[in-house]
Amino acid sequence: MLNRRQFFSTAALAGSALAGIVPAVKAAAPAADVTTEVVPSKANPVLLNFNENSLGMAPSAKKAVADALVNGHRYPDDAKEAARAAIAKMHGVDAKQVTLGAGSSQVIQAIIAAKVEAAKNAGQKVQVLEPTPTFGVAAAYVEALHVPVNDVVLQKDTLAVDMAAMKAAAKNFDGFTIVYFCNPNNPTGTVTGKNELSAWIKDCAAAKAPVFFLVDEAYGEYVEDPAFESGIELVKQGLTNLMVAKTFSKLYALAGLRLGYGIATPEVNAEIDNFESIDNINLASAVAATATLADAAYLKTSLESTKASKAIVVAALKELGIKYLDTQANFIYHEVKGSNADYQKAMAAENIFVGRTFAPFDNWSRLTLGTPGEMKAFVRVLKSFRAKGLI
Amino acid sequence: MLNRRQFFSTAALAGSALAGIVPAVKAAAPAADVTTEVVPSKANPVLLNFNENSLGMAPSAKKAVADALVNGHRYPDDAKEAARAAIAKMHGVDAKQVTLGAGSSQVIQAIIAAKVEAAKNAGQKVQVLEPTPTFGVAAAYVEALHVPVNDVVLQKDTLAVDMAAMKAAAKNFDGFTIVYFCNPNNPTGTVTGKNELSAWIKDCAAAKAPVFFLVDEAYGEYVEDPAFESGIELVKQGLTNLMVAKTFSKLYALAGLRLGYGIATPEVNAEIDNFESIDNINLASAVAATATLADAAYLKTSLESTKASKAIVVAALKELGIKYLDTQANFIYHEVKGSNADYQKAMAAENIFVGRTFAPFDNWSRLTLGTPGEMKAFVRVLKSFRAKGLI
């Protein structure tokens, strides 16, 4: 019954009241001019807490949805297949290698259900192995399946994934391991490079190790770090020990419409499909995704807007001497003075909502990169906090 | 990877070619005047094959979707909770008793996953028990979980559910039974009355029998038979051995947007929620459902249109002396001369697409009740078939 807001809030708050850190209203329409500093208010709070894309949907996507509603009473097979074809074309894979879900969270759920069932049915023990902190849905899903989650804490100094510990945890397990690997990671925004992650996946494939990699690249579109390699390259090489999860909720600004997908070999996808409900994709998301994929101008604006916002925030953090990680995503992870819980409340009092706490890093804050105009408002408040000794 | 069309087509065709019975295009916009006889063509076929609502979405729902897209880049928590509240209010239950899914098919998947896992975790054997033919998704989902499906064929004479055989099959199973019960049933359109179904559910509850009822009332809004009782009445009495699945795809004409729900006690719903992905409901479906629920005029028109269509078809079937069942849904099940497979092809040649075959009743056809104008076209073709000796 929990919605996303409650799910992730309670995960952070361990049951304490949400009052004060959950906005009363959603933000109004994105401003036409996204670079002018906004004025946060109770009626128009600045929402930098869920890694949404403040730019708003592409106008072409809105038009596509409105135009499609004439067939809203029909099951959406045609629109679904058109979206699948457009996604396949973008990645240079066959449509059979694309499995669609109501957000990547559903694709993650389906592949986990499939792999857990396969392992249990073969009489194998099974575990989910992941770095922590990371995006929490994989762990949430397997809990219901009575599967243990092995959390490997990020390295204390760099907040990078502890690859040696991850590999050891997989090697030492006497059963089947599902590795959940968010790359770039959430909340850190940093990537694990090709020499580490791709190499591990290839080694496991070569050794036929009982390990399956669920590589979540929700933020892959934002990566500039040349060390990064998309897992899709490994899928193209025919590796069957991974699936890459992707989403239209970030760069494409379609979080509300729910479309995500997985890229894997046709054999792996056939396994996943058995665990997806028959009509999980809706017409609105399918036509909006297809339209946005074809809208090169919007995609360029979307990416550039986030980069401009990153530059604004990074300049301020540098100026204030606040420690931060070099993000490759649409959010940035930085230190705060005292606890993030207190910092969240102080920001909320200014009608700016920032990300939840990711244990055990209680003095770090995940800040979504909204529009440049929103980030200017954030920076103004952040500097006022410094003046008050709050940061 | 199969979409709905392929899933249900191949189920019927056992792998044979789809050519000839799958339309090349979807129907164009519903006509403004829904009672004037339509002219089926290749470009504008009449689609009476998936129990969709040919009337099209309520204009109020279309407007609600278009208006909501300004927040399409945000996760849709608020719209989801508003839809849940509206559904709860309609049924007179608490919001905690409403679980939402991307169509009722997803709710069906989630409750099955939850109950199968609970049984397996308790060391129990588990089976799904259902009348056959019926709507096929429950059986499809459990196959992936390696759970056997016990199909009890409908009574040969009346095509009613064989309640004695169903009860015996549950009683004789040495484990946990999940009963999938579509009421009114699909494809027959007939109901199993309160004295039979409600009584059985109550008996099982009183005896604490290891049986859970998944009552699918996708077509409940169309029922006029006074023998029918919604399972929601039993939920309101506090019974925890059932969930009722409902959909916005039929009376509400929102099949493309994907919204279904389950009604159960809060305890049962808490179990289901663990098996649903965190953001399964999309903004468009949520606001469209809320708007349609509030649109009494549209709902009246929708119901009356289907009843008018039923009257048109029943009159023709009577006139032609064709055997049919007294439907309580938005489709009607009738006999054909020869096989339904051949009949489907003959209708498709006239650009009218009727339902697939439901084994073992190979000489029966399921006809969706579209608009009165569509049914007039159907009747004209049906009568021409009689003249040719085809029916």
Side-chain angles (χ1 to χ4, degrees):
Chain A
M1 206 63 54
L2 289 182
N3 60 32
R4 164 173 285 253
R5 189 189 302 157
Q6 294 161 333
F7 177 80
F8 288 113
S9 297
T10 50
L13 293 171
S16 74
L18 302 183
I21 64 154
V22 172
V25 297
K26 290 264 173 169
D33 170 11
V34 296
T35 58
T36 302
E37 183 176 328
V38 303
V39 181
S41 66
K42 269 210 158 43
N44 287 298
V46 173
L47 303 178
L48 306 174
N49 48 350
F50 287 129
N51 298 346
E52 295 158 334
N53 186 336
S54 295
L55 206 59
M57 284 173 63
S60 57
K62 289 182 187 171
K63 182 176 185 307
V65 173
D67 289 350
L69 296 181
V70 68
N71 274 321
H73 58 298
R74 301 277 175 208
Y75 289 98
D77 288 342
D78 293 351
K80 179 178 177 178
E81 294 315 316
R84 194 199 306 275
I87 293 164
K89 191 178 168 201
M90 166 176 56
H91 289 300
V93 298
D94 190 90
K96 285 203 178 73
Q97 297 186 254
V98 180
T99 193
L100 302 176
S104 57
S105 49
Q106 192 178 69
V107 176
I108 290 168
Q109 182 189 33
I111 185 67
I112 284 179
K115 288 297 176 183
V116 166
E117 176 63 20
K120 284 184 177 176
N121 198 51
Q124 283 178 298
K125 282 173 64 179
V126 57
Q127 71 167 350
V128 162
L129 173 64
E130 62 178 20
T132 193
T134 193
F135 184 57
V137 299
Y141 294 143
V142 291
E143 194 184 326
L145 296 172
H146 304 93
V147 168
V149 178
N150 192 341
D151 282 323
V152 175
V153 179
L154 299 180
Q155 298 183 63
K156 287 275 185 264
D157 46 349
T158 60
L159 274 64
V161 177
D162 188 340
M163 292 297 282
M166 291 282 289
K167 288 181 188 178
K171 203 157 198 171
N172 296 335
F173 185 67
D174 60 335
F176 191 82
T177 296
I178 300 166
V179 176
Y180 173 76
F181 210 113
C182 190
N183 197 30
N185 193 25
N186 176 0
T188 62
T190 56
V191 304
T192 299
K194 173 181 178 171
N195 292 343
E196 294 191 287
L197 183 56
S198 296
W200 185 22
I201 297 171
K202 284 181 181 176
D203 285 351
C204 285
K208 295 188 196 302
V211 182
F212 185 85
F213 293 86
L214 168 44
V215 183
D216 184 346
E217 296 182 4
Y219 303 96
E221 289 81 0
Y222 296 102
V223 176
E224 297 180 290
D225 187 336
F228 176 79
E229 177 180 59
S230 170
I232 295 173
E233 296 308 315
L234 304 184
V235 172
K236 286 182 180 175
Q237 291 164 27
L239 267 63
T240 57
N241 65 336
L242 81 156
M243 189 198 78
V244 179
K246 303 275 292 173
T247 181
F248 280 90
S249 298
K250 309 303 174 186
L251 182 72
Y252 303 91
L254 298 175
L257 299 188
R258 316 305 307 129
L259 190 66
Y261 58 99
I263 303 282
T265 61
E267 307 90 285
V268 171
N269 269 1
E271 271 189 83
I272 303 169
D273 279 350
N274 292 332
F275 289 85
E276 281 185 349
S277 60
I278 184 76
D279 290 306
N280 57 344
I281 302 308
N282 73 84
L283 176 68
S285 70
V287 299
T290 303
T292 308
L293 280 175
D295 192 340
Y298 174 83
L299 294 176
K300 185 165 178 281
T301 301
S302 179
L303 194 58
E304 284 176 356
S305 172
T306 300
K307 285 186 186 171
S309 291
K310 177 179 168 182
I312 291 166
V313 174
V314 164
L317 294 172
K318 271 188 182 160
E319 184 185 330
L320 298 175
I322 295 171
K323 191 172 170 185
Y324 65 92
L325 299 180
D326 180 27
T327 186
Q328 304 292 310
N330 73 341
F331 55 86
I332 190 163
Y333 204 42
H334 66 84
E335 256 189 343
V336 294
K337 187 173 166 181
S339 76
N340 181 58
D342 287 342
Y343 171 76
Q344 266 191 301
K345 281 179 195 158
M347 275 286 169
E350 303 287 340
N351 299 304
I352 294 177
F353 294 84
V354 298
R356 66 181 176 93
T357 303
F358 290 79
F361 302 102
D362 296 342
N363 63 328
W364 283 76
S365 179
R366 190 193 68 184
L367 175 73
T368 299
L369 297 168
T371 62
E374 289 175 334
M375 303 331 285
K376 287 175 185 169
F378 165 80
V379 165
R380 185 183 51 73
V381 172
L382 190 73
K383 289 185 176 174
S384 78
F385 280 11
R386 169 58 56 89
K388 295 180 207 163
L390 290 174
I391 192 110
Chain B
M1 206 62 54
L2 289 182
N3 61 32
R4 164 173 285 253
R5 189 189 301 158
Q6 294 161 333
F7 177 81
F8 289 113
S9 296
T10 50
L13 293 171
S16 74
L18 301 183
I21 64 154
V22 171
V25 297
K26 290 264 174 171
D33 169 11
V34 296
T35 58
T36 301
E37 183 176 328
V38 303
V39 181
S41 66
K42 269 209 158 44
N44 286 298
V46 173
L47 303 178
L48 307 174
N49 48 350
F50 287 129
N51 298 345
E52 295 159 333
N53 186 336
S54 295
L55 206 59
M57 284 173 63
S60 58
K62 289 181 186 171
K63 182 176 186 307
V65 173
D67 290 350
L69 295 180
V70 69
N71 274 322
H73 58 298
R74 301 278 175 208
Y75 289 98
D77 288 343
D78 293 350
K80 179 179 177 178
E81 295 314 315
R84 195 200 305 276
I87 292 164
K89 191 178 167 201
M90 165 175 57
H91 289 299
V93 298
D94 190 89
K96 286 203 177 73
Q97 297 186 254
V98 180
T99 193
L100 303 176
S104 57
S105 48
Q106 192 178 69
V107 176
I108 290 169
Q109 182 188 33
I111 184 67
I112 285 179
K115 288 297 176 183
V116 166
E117 176 63 21
K120 285 183 177 176
N121 198 50
Q124 283 178 298
K125 282 173 64 179
V126 57
Q127 71 167 350
V128 162
L129 173 63
E130 61 179 20
T132 193
T134 193
F135 184 57
V137 298
Y141 294 143
V142 291
E143 194 184 326
L145 296 172
H146 304 94
V147 167
V149 178
N150 192 341
D151 282 322
V152 175
V153 179
L154 299 179
Q155 298 183 64
K156 286 275 185 264
D157 46 348
T158 60
L159 274 65
V161 177
D162 188 339
M163 292 298 282
M166 291 283 288
K167 289 181 188 178
K171 203 157 198 170
N172 295 335
F173 185 67
D174 60 334
F176 191 82
T177 296
I178 300 166
V179 176
Y180 173 75
F181 210 114
C182 190
N183 198 30
N185 193 24
N186 176 1
T188 62
T190 56
V191 304
T192 300
K194 173 181 179 171
N195 292 343
E196 294 191 287
L197 183 55
S198 296
W200 185 23
I201 297 171
K202 284 181 181 175
D203 285 350
C204 285
K208 295 188 196 302
V211 182
F212 185 85
F213 293 85
L214 168 44
V215 183
D216 184 346
E217 295 182 5
Y219 303 96
E221 289 81 1
Y222 296 102
V223 176
E224 296 180 290
D225 187 336
F228 175 80
E229 177 180 60
S230 170
I232 295 173
E233 295 308 315
L234 305 184
V235 172
K236 286 182 180 175
Q237 291 164 28
L239 267 62
T240 57
N241 65 337
L242 81 156
M243 189 198 78
V244 179
K246 303 275 292 173
T247 181
F248 279 91
S249 298
K250 308 303 173 186
L251 182 73
Y252 304 92
L254 298 176
L257 299 188
R258 316 305 308 130
L259 190 66
Y261 58 98
I263 303 283
T265 61
E267 307 90 285
V268 171
N269 269 1
E271 272 189 82
I272 303 169
D273 279 351
N274 291 331
F275 289 85
E276 281 185 348
S277 59
I278 185 75
D279 290 306
N280 57 345
I281 301 308
N282 73 84
L283 176 68
S285 70
V287 299
T290 304
T292 308
L293 280 175
D295 192 340
Y298 174 83
L299 294 176
K300 186 164 177 282
T301 301
S302 179
L303 194 59
E304 284 176 356
S305 172
T306 300
K307 284 185 186 171
S309 291
K310 177 179 168 182
I312 290 166
V313 174
V314 164
L317 294 172
K318 271 188 183 161
E319 184 186 329
L320 298 175
I322 295 172
K323 192 172 169 185
Y324 65 92
L325 299 180
D326 180 27
T327 186
Q328 304 292 310
N330 73 341
F331 55 85
I332 190 164
Y333 204 42
H334 67 84
E335 256 189 343
V336 294
K337 187 172 166 181
S339 75
N340 181 58
D342 287 342
Y343 171 76
Q344 266 190 301
K345 282 179 195 158
M347 275 286 168
E350 304 286 339
N351 299 305
I352 294 177
F353 294 84
V354 298
R356 66 180 176 93
T357 303
F358 289 79
F361 301 103
D362 296 342
N363 63 329
W364 283 75
S365 179
R366 190 193 68 183
L367 175 73
T368 299
L369 297 168
T371 62
E374 289 175 334
M375 303 331 285
K376 287 174 186 169
F378 165 81
V379 165
R380 184 183 52 72
V381 172
L382 190 74
K383 288 185 175 174
S384 78
F385 280 11
R386 170 58 57 88
K388 295 181 207 163
L390 290 174
I391 191 109

